[in-house]
Every structure is written in structure tokens, then in C-alpha cells.
Amino acid sequence: MSFDLLVKNANLPDGRTGVDIACRNGRIEAIETGIAAEAQTVIDAADNLVSPPFVDSHFHMDATLSLGLPRMNRSGTLLEGIALWGELKEILTVDAVVERALKYCDLAVSQGLLAIRTHVDVCDDRLTGVKGLLEVRDRVKDYIDLQLVAFPQDGLYRSPNAEANLLTALDMGVDIVGGIPHFERTMDDGARSVRRLCEVAAERGLMVDMHCDETDDPMSRHIETLAYETQRLGLKGRVAGSHLTSMHSMDNYYVSKLLPLIAEAEVHAIANPLINITLQGRHDTYPKRRGQTRVPEMRSYGINVAFGHDCVMDPWYSMGSGDMLEVASMGLHVAQMTSREAIRYCFDCVTSHPAKAMGLEDYGLAKGCKADFVMLQARDAIEAIRLKATRLAVVKGGKVIATTPARQAQLTLQGRPDIVDPASYAPSEG
């Protein structure tokens, strides 16, 4: 039997070692030890980690790589970022959106990031971002699964034409219904927007992904309404609440009521560690709140938690490199999830968990799954996060689409090794 691609001697995120992965016609046909077969391409993983591709379930691709346009965010604050985006929208062109988004997708592929859910602002009456990202989605479909969320960034009711623009965007082919209830003028309007947007999704058979309670205000409790509407409209498993940062300020008793409601409704939770830790708590002196939602507590209730990158070099965040391992690292540090098991969980938060939230089909490392995976210069998932491991090879549909040389340093020190390989520093117990 001959295969298109055969990867030998791989370690897997679940702890298996010395595994071979045989691929044909874009699918994994076998994943076991000791596969003896010919293949058009053979890769020796050499006990490096082979993982399903990274998944970013929360991003803003219409704004990515726009840092400095029309001017720099000097304060680095959320409010100045919002003001800058308002200025940039006025001069935005479809060609500019497409050019920057495609450039980001190149970076994403090099990082083994092959599925992205991006929110696109629909409060621009020209729908410039929508038009641009619909084109990008079509152009990258062979190597990135790109989902688009119709996002009324200035508020469904606060922005005059937001609802009409959102419906138009959905008619144009945008995949998912978004919202931002905490940005409406009143709490009542916020709750009303959640209800309306969930009804739109139910009518159209679509998923929901809502910026929800991205604030330090402990009384911003729209996630409760989102969980209720999910139950009422039969949307279980199709709804995500993103950010949820108000939960870091809520009363513990109330949270003890809230988390079971989220779990019961099967609402996915998407934290954005890099952005949450930098933008939240800005009005605090000391002690300062961390900004990230309650990930360990959600985990204990069986809520599906994913981590998103949110922004890369845009008006809100001047950092970022499309590296989901950096996101996982920040997430575990902020949540103090430093047990071996919890670190592995954070790796799942940038792979299998966001894949579940996005409803990706045939994702994973099992027979019959799509032959999409990444080989990392690390022994296991914990080491991959620690090292922000080099992506040695990225595979899509059984074909290698990106490679990066192994990271090594050459020393010229008498009596010391010639080569330093950071991956060789792994502890004896993974």
C-alpha cells in the first residue's frame, strides 16, 4: 500500500509516542506504531510533537496589521483604540482590507494556524470589511478555514444602521451572528440586543458568537441573558460568549449560580488572554484585577473554554505574531494553571477546544480526520508552550505547505557543546 505522506516516530498531544501517521487523498488513513508502507513523502518526526493545527476562535482580521493607521495609539488604551478604528473606517478600502488580511494569513500558515474565526465590523454602511473578508475567505479556502462573524461593533441599537447592515452582511454570506451588548446605551438595550440577535440566528440556522461583558463592571451580566436565550431558542452548542471579563469582578455567590447556567446551555467560552490582561483593570490602582475570565472554574463545570488571539498589530494591540502558543502561555500564567494537567489543558484551548466551538468537522489526529497537522520542535504539549516551539512543518490535506528550520544556537565556548537545542532541555517527566 502506498500513501501520499507518511510521518514516522511522532509524539502526540495525548501522550502517545513513536506513532506513525499515514495520509492519502487529504485524510489520515492510519495512525499507529510501525506502519510499513511506501509513501510519496516520508517525514521523520524524530520524537517531536505532532499536533492538530492551531485554531483561533476570536480574531479581528479587518483591522489586523493596521497599526499606525491613521496614527499610532500612543496611550495603548481601549478608548484610544476605539477612536482610532472609527477614524480608520472612514478611509478604509476593500483592497487594503484584502491585502492586510492575506498577509496575515501567510503568517498564520507559517505558525500552523489553519482555522480562524474573525469578527468583521458591520457598522460601516459601505460594509468595506465584509466585502474584503468575503473575498479573502474565498482566496484562502484551500489552506485556512475562515469563519466570518457579523459584528455590530458600535452596538446593534446604539449605531443607527447596525441591524440593517448586519442582516445585509448575513445575506452576503457572512457565517455567524455577533453582538456587543455591553456597548449599548443601557443594560436593557444590551439584553434586548442579545434577544434579537439570537432570534436572527435561530431563524437562519446560524451560530452565535457575542462579545459579552468585556468590561470591569461586575453588574454587566449579559452572559446570563445569552445562556437563557440559547436555551429558549434551542441553540445549544451553537453559541459562544467571548471575553466574559466582567466575571473577574463579579460576586462569588452570583458566579456560583451563573456557571451552571452556562454549562447547562452548552455555551462555549472564549477568553482572549493577551488582550484581556492588557486592556482590563485600567481604572484600578492596586491591587489590579487580572482581566481574564474564570477559566479554571469554567473547566470544573465542563464548559468548553477556548483561547483567542483577538488582535495583532492593530489600533487596540500593538503586539502579536499569530502564535497561538503565546496565547496559551499567557492564558495559563494569568489563570495560574501551572499543574502539568492544567498546562496540557491550555494547549487544548488553542487546538481542540476552539475547533469544537467553531464546529470544525473531521478535526484531529484519528483515522478518517483531515490530514491537517503541525510538527513542533518540542517533545510534548507542555514543552511546546514553554518554548513557543518552532513549527518544523505544517501539513494541510496531506501536503506540506510550510516549513521552518529547527531552532539551534551555535556556541564557540571552550569545553562546551557546539550546538544548543532548546528542545533538548525537556525534563525527564513530561
Side-chain angles (χ1 to χ4, degrees), residues 138-151:
D138 184 62
R139 290 177 64 172
V140 304
K141 63 184 178 184
D142 291 337
Y143 53 92
I144 290 180
D145 291 317
L146 184 60
Q147 293 182 351
L148 307 182
V149 183
F151 178 41

Side-chain angles (χ1 to χ4, degrees), residues 126-145:
R126 299 173 299 151
L127 293 177
T128 306
V130 172
K131 294 170 185 174
L133 291 188
L134 284 170
E135 179 180 337
V136 171
R137 185 181 65 183
D138 184 62
R139 290 177 64 172
V140 304
K141 63 184 178 184
D142 291 337
Y143 53 92
I144 290 180
D145 291 317

Side-chain angles (χ1 to χ4, degrees), residues 8-64:
K8 304 284 290 184
N9 306 311
N11 294 349
L12 304 186
D14 63 10
R16 285 180 286 169
T17 60
V19 176
D20 299 344
I21 306 170
C23 309
R24 184 166 52 200
N25 297 328
R27 297 276 173 172
I28 296 174
E29 288 229 349
I31 181 165
E32 58 195 58
T33 58
I35 296 176
E38 295 181 353
Q40 182 176 344
T41 303
V42 178
I43 299 174
D44 185 2
D47 298 321
N48 281 305
L49 177 68
V50 173
S51 165
F54 295 108
V55 179
D56 184 357
S57 53
H58 189 103
F59 196 61
H60 292 267
M61 197 174 286
D62 52 353
T64 195

Side-chain angles (χ1 to χ4, degrees), residues 208-274:
V208 175
D209 190 333
M210 209 165 286
H211 285 60
C212 212
D213 304 321
E214 187 186 0
T215 171
D216 295 329
D217 179 5
M219 300 309 294
S220 182
R221 296 175 173 183
H222 296 299
I223 181 58
E224 180 181 85
T225 304
L226 184 62
Y228 172 78
E229 294 299 333
T230 299
Q231 289 268 32
R232 181 177 74 88
L233 296 167
L235 295 172
K236 278 188 177 184
R238 290 163 49 190
V239 175
S242 289
H243 292 289
L244 306 178
T245 59
S246 64
M247 206 179 297
H248 73 171
S249 303
M250 288 176 181
D251 173 78
N252 288 333
Y253 179 80
Y254 174 69
V255 173
S256 73
K257 168 200 171 185
L258 178 61
L259 291 180
L261 295 177
I262 297 171
E264 183 182 84
E266 299 176 19
V267 172
H268 308 282
I270 303 174
N272 297 287
L274 297 172

Side-chain angles (χ1 to χ4, degrees), residues 336-404:
Q336 299 179 326
M337 297 178 70
T338 51
S339 73
R340 308 304 278 176
E341 182 187 10
I343 298 172
R344 293 187 188 97
Y345 175 88
C346 289
F347 188 86
D348 294 339
C349 286
V350 295
T351 52
S352 58
H353 292 186
K356 180 179 180 182
M358 289 175 61
L360 299 182
E361 296 181 355
D362 301 328
Y363 172 94
L365 294 178
K367 183 177 179 179
C369 288
K370 293 177 181 176
D372 302 345
F373 45 84
V374 56
M375 185 170 73
L376 298 146
Q377 189 184 351
R379 190 182 68 183
D380 57 31
I382 294 175
E383 284 294 287
I385 294 177
R386 182 181 73 83
L387 295 167
K388 317 297 187 298
T390 298
R391 282 66 164 169
L392 300 173
V394 180
V395 175
K396 175 69 177 178
K399 297 179 180 179
V400 178
I401 62 171
T403 59
T404 305

Side-chain angles (χ1 to χ4, degrees), residues 73-303:
N73 185 336
R74 298 296 179 185
S75 67
T77 60
L78 174 62
L79 290 178
E80 187 173 356
I82 291 171
L84 272 169
W85 177 240
E87 294 172 25
L88 181 56
K89 276 196 294 188
E90 297 297 320
I91 59 173
L92 208 59
T93 67
V94 172
D95 287 346
V97 170
V98 171
E99 180 182 4
R100 288 188 285 99
L102 288 176
K103 188 174 183 180
Y104 182 77
C105 288
D106 296 338
L107 179 63
V109 168
S110 75
Q111 296 281 30
L113 173 54
L114 301 185
I116 302 171
R117 174 181 285 180
T118 178
H119 297 252
V120 53
D121 190 355
V122 298
C123 290
D124 167 17
D125 290 341
R126 299 173 299 151
L127 293 177
T128 306
V130 172
K131 294 170 185 174
L133 291 188
L134 284 170
E135 179 180 337
V136 171
R137 185 181 65 183
D138 184 62
R139 290 177 64 172
V140 304
K141 63 184 178 184
D142 291 337
Y143 53 92
I144 290 180
D145 291 317
L146 184 60
Q147 293 182 351
L148 307 182
V149 183
F151 178 41
Q153 189 155 344
D154 298 330
L156 185 72
Y157 296 128
R158 190 171 180 176
S159 181
N161 300 321
E163 183 172 358
N165 290 349
L166 180 139
L167 296 174
T168 299
L170 296 176
D171 290 340
M172 291 167 66
V174 171
D175 308 286
I176 298 160
V177 178
I180 186 167
H182 57 276
F183 202 67
E184 301 291 351
R185 287 188 176 89
T186 67
M187 296 290 279
D188 285 344
D189 274 358
R192 190 162 61 94
S193 75
V194 172
R195 186 178 311 113
R196 171 60 179 149
L197 290 164
C198 286
E199 287 173 349
V200 169
E203 291 164 4
R204 293 176 176 244
L206 300 177
M207 293 188 287
V208 175
D209 190 333
M210 209 165 286
H211 285 60
C212 212
D213 304 321
E214 187 186 0
T215 171
D216 295 329
D217 179 5
M219 300 309 294
S220 182
R221 296 175 173 183
H222 296 299
I223 181 58
E224 180 181 85
T225 304
L226 184 62
Y228 172 78
E229 294 299 333
T230 299
Q231 289 268 32
R232 181 177 74 88
L233 296 167
L235 295 172
K236 278 188 177 184
R238 290 163 49 190
V239 175
S242 289
H243 292 289
L244 306 178
T245 59
S246 64
M247 206 179 297
H248 73 171
S249 303
M250 288 176 181
D251 173 78
N252 288 333
Y253 179 80
Y254 174 69
V255 173
S256 73
K257 168 200 171 185
L258 178 61
L259 291 180
L261 295 177
I262 297 171
E264 183 182 84
E266 299 176 19
V267 172
H268 308 282
I270 303 174
N272 297 287
L274 297 172
I275 310 305
N276 298 153
I277 193 64
T278 54
L279 293 183
Q280 304 309 131
R282 289 286 181 136
H283 295 284
D284 294 357
T285 52
Y286 290 94
K288 279 183 178 286
R289 286 167 287 182
R290 290 176 176 266
Q292 183 169 277
T293 194
R294 302 192 188 202
V295 176
E297 292 82 358
M298 288 182 173
R299 181 191 180 197
S300 71
Y301 277 90
I303 296 166

